[in-house]
Amino acid sequence: MLRVIACGSVDDGKSTLIGRLLANTGSATEDQLDYARNTRRGGSTIPAGEVDYSLLTDGLEAEHEQGITIDVAHLFLDLPSGHRVIIADAPGHEQYTRNMAVAASTADVAVLLVDATKGVREQTHRHLAICALMGVRAVIAVVNKLDAVDYDQAVFEKLASEVLSAADDLDQVASVIPASALSGDNVVDPSPNLPWYDGPTLLGALSAWEPPDRPQGDYRLPVQYVIRADDFRGFAGTVVGGPVRPGDSVAVAGGGVESRIERLLGPGGGDLDHAGPGTPVTVTLADDVDVRRGDLLTTPGALGNGLSPATAYSATLVWTAEEPLRHGRSYLLLAGSRSVPAVVTSVRGRMDVVSGKQFAARTLGLNDIGTVELTTDTPICLDGYRTCRETGSFLLVDRVSKETVAAGMVRHALRRGRNVVPHAYTVDRDARQRLKGQRAKVLWLTGLPGAGKSTIANALERRLHAMGLHTYVLDGDNVRSGLNKDLGFTPEDRAENVRRVAELTRILLDAGLIVIVALVSPFRTDRAVAKSLFQPGDFAEVWVDTPAEVCARRDPKGLYAQAKAGTLPNLTGLGQAYEPPEHADLVVDGTGSLDDATDELCALLHD
């Protein structure tokens, strides 16, 4: 079985090439051919009665209407040798780069199209770079539409040189084929229109491809399901890495507990004497070991060979969201069946997809490829992507919108993540609260600049102090004069500002204090992430609701005047959006009485 990703820029002729390949090898059905013979898109130049090969690959109605590939379509091709090829037809439009990256993650070979009339484009370099990142080392480049340039050898050689040079820079092995998908030149049969070319056709190149010898390393078995029945407890998953056999030693990565594989069951429930990579299996263990969904079973030796739990990783991200990456914001990291909160702590660089060089960057935008460092809330075992694709890759998901925002490949674990072990002290939060005679709690005041947050926080603390309660106020400006003095006011810096304040608040709460936070914190996602650090009942979100025109009229710090003069960009409410809470625990009228606001907050503390 050979897995191929077909990629190229929009209108490079990818669908026509694949369609002709399917048709000329007998891999398309008569129904499909009749449809492609009797259907025409608007503007099509294919004569009536002839097959429009591009229609054989478009599965969605929108693809038929627009004449572009939107989603990845998987097509099956039978080679003359009897081997089967799965072709992932990936979208060429930049908007759908995320789909292309997913398709590349399982491919052995990339068929990369280059339009002879348009040359090598940025999207060509991007697709090469993504294939390289996803571990696709073999590239068959097809310079298509040579009929439109009179089968000019010089045009082909120039483009072939560019593609080979780019692939070599990415450590890929590439070959280049001149072709015309429309005329059928060099797709299945050698073309008489290209007498100067004596290499293989596309079909010949696919047929001749042999998988590289892969070292038979340690096996991995990510546990996807725990099967329980009478006198039976098995762990189901798909084998990756090396083969596994009954009697093999096994360790639970993370816990380090060891046992031995007692039985190895195939998909039909029958016993197997071995299972290679890609085989779905269920294993039973000789000992009653605690194994859960999301755990990783492997050989004990692998635990000392780079695979050990860590909370910090260096990784490469392909950013696929419209909204840019905000380091400091918490995302969900999905690796196999595990899901843990993760924070991108820094962006180390962004790749120029044309030159392949890394440049300094503070964030990543749509379709950017960059190197980052991230941390997870709990230790997780991830391989380096070069060691194992399946256990070295992950997705990042926005915790609020549930949108997949990035595909990631682990470069290596960071040692500092392995060396951090929380220490449990005898004197805990409960003991500190009892000593102070109060219940610790966080009141997080959010609102526009000038809404009155600091004024209300000051009045509230004075009253609580007079009542003999122990408090502390974290004010936005005060924090930025010390702990967060290195941060600006861009969305990603604001996310980091909220993250640091939330972490500091958690420490103060653990000290048994009532913590009042007065922070603009304009984005719902950042506030939601801050709230997620606390136990239910410990955190109350308070919206100081003051109309923007009132805030601008008050303007106690002169911020609105500066923003209107154009000297202060990114002021919340003018240069940057403010997202009010949708389900605040309390809404305080910022234009009302200060005593009333203090009363309401005191009542909230006693709820």
Side-chain angles (χ1 to χ4, degrees):
M1 183 75 76
L2 170 63
R3 291 182 177 273
V4 172
I5 175 176
C7 51
S9 301
V10 175
D11 292 333
D12 277 356
K14 180 165 50 64
S15 295
T16 302
L17 179 75
I18 298 171
R20 182 177 284 277
L21 192 62
L22 295 174
N24 291 3
T25 56
S27 302
T29 66
E30 284 301 322
D31 287 348
Q32 290 174 313
L33 291 173
D34 284 344
Y35 174 78
R37 193 176 287 116
N38 299 313
T39 304
R40 286 293 175 272
R41 292 190 178 104
S44 172
T45 59
I46 307 296
E50 293 188 12
V51 175
D52 182 345
Y53 293 101
S54 68
L55 295 176
L56 295 176
T57 60
D58 296 340
L60 302 176
E61 185 63 31
E63 293 177 335
H64 286 290
E65 292 173 354
Q66 300 179 48
I68 64 172
T69 303
I70 296 175
D71 204 352
V72 178
H74 289 88
L75 307 158
F76 299 91
L77 168 70
D78 293 317
L79 296 174
S81 62
H83 290 112
R84 171 156 273 206
V85 180
I86 300 177
I87 302 176
D89 183 14
H93 199 287
E94 188 174 330
Q95 178 183 354
Y96 303 111
T97 297
R98 73 194 77 176
N99 300 11
M100 182 269 165
V102 172
S105 66
T106 59
D108 301 304
V109 176
V111 172
L112 175 71
L113 268 78
V114 178
D115 187 330
T117 65
K118 298 178 180 174
V120 175
R121 290 182 273 177
E122 181 176 329
Q123 192 72 337
T124 309
H125 287 283
R126 178 175 284 112
H127 285 175
L128 269 176
I130 291 174
C131 285
L133 289 170
M134 294 295 178
V136 183
R137 298 293 166 199
V139 177
I140 301 173
V142 176
V143 178
N144 191 27
K145 302 185 183 181
L146 272 179
D147 57 314
V149 294
D150 297 327
Y151 300 100
D152 190 327
Q153 182 178 0
V155 172
F156 167 73
E157 291 182 347
K158 175 179 179 297
L159 297 179
S161 175
E162 291 181 33
V163 172
L164 292 173
S165 175
D168 186 59
D169 290 342
L170 294 167
D171 196 25
Q172 292 171 310
V173 178
S175 59
V176 189
I177 299 172
S180 168
L182 187 64
S183 305
D185 299 298
N186 272 350
V187 178
V188 172
D189 300 312
S191 170
N193 298 317
L194 298 161
W196 42 266
Y197 175 74
D198 59 0
T201 64
L202 175 58
L203 180 64
L206 291 175
S207 300
W209 184 83
E210 293 289 340
D213 293 332
R214 293 182 178 177
Q216 296 294 308
D218 301 318
Y219 71 82
R220 307 278 193 272
L221 183 64
V223 177
Q224 297 172 324
Y225 192 68
V226 179
I227 301 173
R228 293 186 179 87
D230 292 339
D231 299 326
F232 183 87
R233 186 163 179 262
F235 311 106
T238 300
V239 179
V240 297
V244 61
R245 297 176 178 78
D248 281 352
S249 298
V250 64
V252 184
V257 180
E258 297 186 17
S259 183
R260 180 174 52 80
I261 293 178
E262 189 174 58
R263 293 180 67 192
L264 181 64
L265 307 174
D271 284 279
L272 302 175
D273 58 6
H274 78 283
T279 307
V281 298
T282 299
V283 300
T284 65
L285 304 184
D287 304 291
D288 188 15
V289 176
D290 180 18
V291 179
R292 305 175 186 180
R293 171 180 160 82
D295 281 343
L296 182 67
L297 304 182
T298 185
T299 54
L303 301 185
N305 191 25
L307 181 64
S308 57
T311 57
Y313 288 92
S314 172
T316 300
L317 293 185
V318 180
W319 194 256
T320 60
E322 298 282 350
E323 184 181 70
L325 164 68
R326 294 178 185 174
H327 52 81
R329 173 171 290 184
S330 178
Y331 298 94
L332 280 182
L333 184 151
L334 273 59
S337 54
R338 291 209 64 177
S339 169
V340 297
V343 173
V344 177
T345 53
S346 66
V347 179
R348 290 298 184 185
R350 180 180 60 81
M351 173 190 281
D352 183 310
V353 295
V354 176
S355 67
K357 295 180 179 177
Q358 289 274 341
F359 292 93
R362 289 182 58 80
T363 186
L364 298 178
L366 178 65
N367 295 325
D368 279 347
I369 300 170
T371 304
V372 304
E373 290 183 359
L374 54 84
T375 62
T376 59
D377 277 13
T378 55
I380 186 170
C381 283
L382 294 173
D383 277 302
Y385 189 75
R386 285 183 178 272
T387 303
C388 185
R389 274 184 174 185
E390 292 81 359
T391 54
S393 57
F394 60 87
L395 296 175
L396 288 184
V397 175
D398 187 288
R399 298 181 66 172
V400 174
S401 68
K402 305 304 180 189
E403 177 189 7
T404 299
V405 296
M409 291 136 283
V410 174
R411 295 161 61 88
H412 53 81
L414 299 171
R415 289 187 58 82
R416 63 175 181 268
R418 303 176 195 168
N419 298 335
V420 178
V421 181
H423 187 88
Y425 286 93
T426 304
V427 178
D428 58 10
R429 172 184 162 185
D430 286 342
R432 298 183 188 105
Q433 287 183 150
R434 284 195 301 272
L435 187 65
K436 292 179 172 63
Q438 64 183 35
R439 181 184 183 281
K441 190 160 183 171
V442 176
L443 298 179
W444 189 286
L445 277 57
T446 174
L448 290 169
K453 300 180 297 298
S454 298
T455 303
I456 293 173
N458 184 48
L460 176 63
E461 187 176 39
R462 282 167 43 204
R463 183 180 295 185
L464 296 176
H465 186 74
M467 296 164 63
L469 298 175
H470 298 258
T471 61
Y472 198 84
V473 174
L474 291 173
D475 182 85
D477 281 359
N478 293 356
V479 174
R480 282 182 177 276
S481 67
L483 175 67
N484 291 348
K485 67 192 307 179
D486 58 321
L487 299 177
F489 294 90
T490 62
E492 56 268 22
D493 278 353
R494 288 186 183 277
E496 175 63 9
N497 184 44
V498 170
R499 187 190 72 81
R500 292 184 193 177
V501 171
E503 291 288 357
L504 177 56
T505 302
R506 186 162 64 166
I507 293 173
L508 295 178
L509 182 82
D510 194 53
L513 298 175
I514 296 170
V515 188
I516 307 163
V517 179
L519 201 66
V520 174
S521 46
F523 301 114
R524 293 192 189 103
T525 299
D526 298 335
R527 297 195 299 267
V529 171
K531 184 175 183 177
S532 69
L533 298 179
F534 300 89
Q535 296 297 318
D538 284 348
F539 183 101
E541 184 180 36
V542 179
W543 178 22
V544 181
D545 183 12
T546 308
E549 57 272 20
V550 175
C551 298
R553 191 165 58 245
R554 289 176 176 170
D555 203 11
K557 301 170 186 174
L559 301 178
Y560 287 90
Q562 294 178 50
K564 288 179 180 176
T567 58
L568 181 62
N570 296 333
L571 178 67
T572 302
L574 285 181
Q576 201 171 69
Y578 176 76
E579 299 172 352
E582 294 179 320
H583 307 287
D585 297 285
L586 176 66
V587 179
V588 172
D589 182 359
T591 62
S593 154
L594 190 58
D595 285 340
D596 289 347
T598 307
D599 290 343
E600 290 176 299
L601 287 165
C602 284
L604 182 63
L605 276 177
H606 289 92
D607 282 347

